[in-house]
Amino acid sequence: MNLNQRIAITLIFLLFFVVGRAQADRPACYKLLPAKTLAYVRIANLKELVEAANDTSFGRMMQEDSFQSLTQHLFSEAETAFEPVAEQIGLSLSEILEIPRGEIAIAVTAPPNGLPAPVLMIDIEGHEANVLKLTDALEKRIELDGNLQKSTEVERGTKLTVFAQEADTRFTGLIHFQREEMLVMTSNLDVAKQILAAWDGDDEQAVPEIQG
């Protein structure tokens, strides 16, 4: 299993098996997306979602001793398979799975200046240090590939880390930033700036038709 496959497996675990709590003070993710958003999926609170799932027939069945043993065995196998990656980034699989803290959103936007741009937003309250380890590891991986140039800039008081081809700093390989215990990743610089504009109360930037 190569590094990209291991990262994909980790992201799946992050989305489906981690519980957290919502951050009430920050605007909801749907209020931050640009008006031209093509698709959008949001989990408002992972803890409530898991609690509701556990109360279903399937959830109760998964909590039986026989299934608990199987689940623990599968997770142990996953941790063992993840060990080479854990050594590189300095975080175990369990530590990574603890990072999301409530709200998660995935969207696809349609910026006027390029191809559709994905957006990932994850509540990381209390785990900023571990997220820094993850983003540092990701940056090192991108730099090793050598196809994108790294730069930073400040927009509305927030530091943006940008990986882009020299010919085009808008359509990029990756842009990420942290604000109010939220990690945001996208592939378009203008989209990142629109999100920050909406964050600061610029209602014209926000998606009008999405309801949380």
Side-chain angles (χ1 to χ4, degrees):
M1 183 180 294
N2 61 37
L3 179 61
N4 291 336
Q5 290 172 323
R6 293 188 182 113
I7 291 174
I9 290 173
T10 300
L11 290 176
I12 292 173
F13 272 109
L14 289 175
L15 289 174
F16 293 102
F17 293 103
V18 187
V19 299
R21 68 178 184 277
Q23 166 58 262
D25 296 334
R26 182 186 57 245
C29 291
Y30 70 89
K31 295 182 179 180
L32 302 177
L33 292 169
K36 292 185 177 179
T37 295
L38 303 176
Y40 171 80
V41 177
R42 171 180 175 247
I43 298 174
N45 188 301
L46 278 170
K47 181 178 180 179
E48 293 178 359
L49 176 66
V50 172
E51 288 175 349
N54 286 339
D55 198 36
T56 64
S57 297
F58 179 77
R60 289 190 291 270
M61 180 182 70
M62 291 299 295
Q63 296 175 60
E64 295 177 358
D65 290 342
S66 58
F67 283 97
Q68 284 288 324
S69 298
L70 175 61
T71 301
Q72 292 173 2
H73 174 72
L74 291 174
F75 187 78
S76 178
E77 291 290 326
E79 284 189 310
T80 300
F82 192 77
E83 284 178 359
V85 179
E87 292 177 0
Q88 294 182 35
I89 64 179
L91 292 172
S92 68
L93 180 58
S94 296
E95 289 173 318
I96 292 175
L97 297 181
E98 292 175 357
I99 288 175
R101 303 301 294 172
E103 188 175 18
I104 294 179
I106 301 174
V108 179
T109 65
N113 60 352
L115 297 173
V119 177
L120 173 65
M121 300 179 178
I122 302 178
D123 185 348
I124 59 170
E125 182 186 4
H127 294 275
E128 291 87 350
N130 283 345
V131 169
L132 181 60
K133 290 183 180 180
L134 278 177
T135 53
D136 283 348
L138 180 59
E139 289 180 12
K140 290 177 182 177
R141 178 68 180 182
I142 295 174
E143 289 173 339
L144 283 175
D145 289 339
N147 296 322
L148 302 173
Q149 300 297 317
K150 179 182 177 180
S151 63
T152 60
E153 62 177 88
V154 177
E155 176 75 11
R156 294 176 179 264
T158 298
K159 177 184 175 182
L160 305 178
T161 300
V162 181
F163 283 91
Q165 297 178 356
E166 291 188 50
D168 189 349
T169 59
R170 294 173 302 174
F171 179 70
T172 71
L174 174 69
I175 298 170
H176 68 83
F177 64 87
Q178 293 184 35
R179 197 184 212 198
E180 295 184 22
E181 293 82 39
M182 175 72 78
L183 172 67
V184 179
M185 292 185 171
T186 184
S187 63
N188 187 285
L189 184 56
D190 286 345
V191 170
K193 291 181 177 181
Q194 288 175 353
I195 290 171
L196 288 171
W199 214 311
D200 285 345
D202 186 351
D203 292 336
E204 293 181 359
Q205 300 288 354
V207 178
E209 67 273 16
I210 289 182
Q211 301 298 320

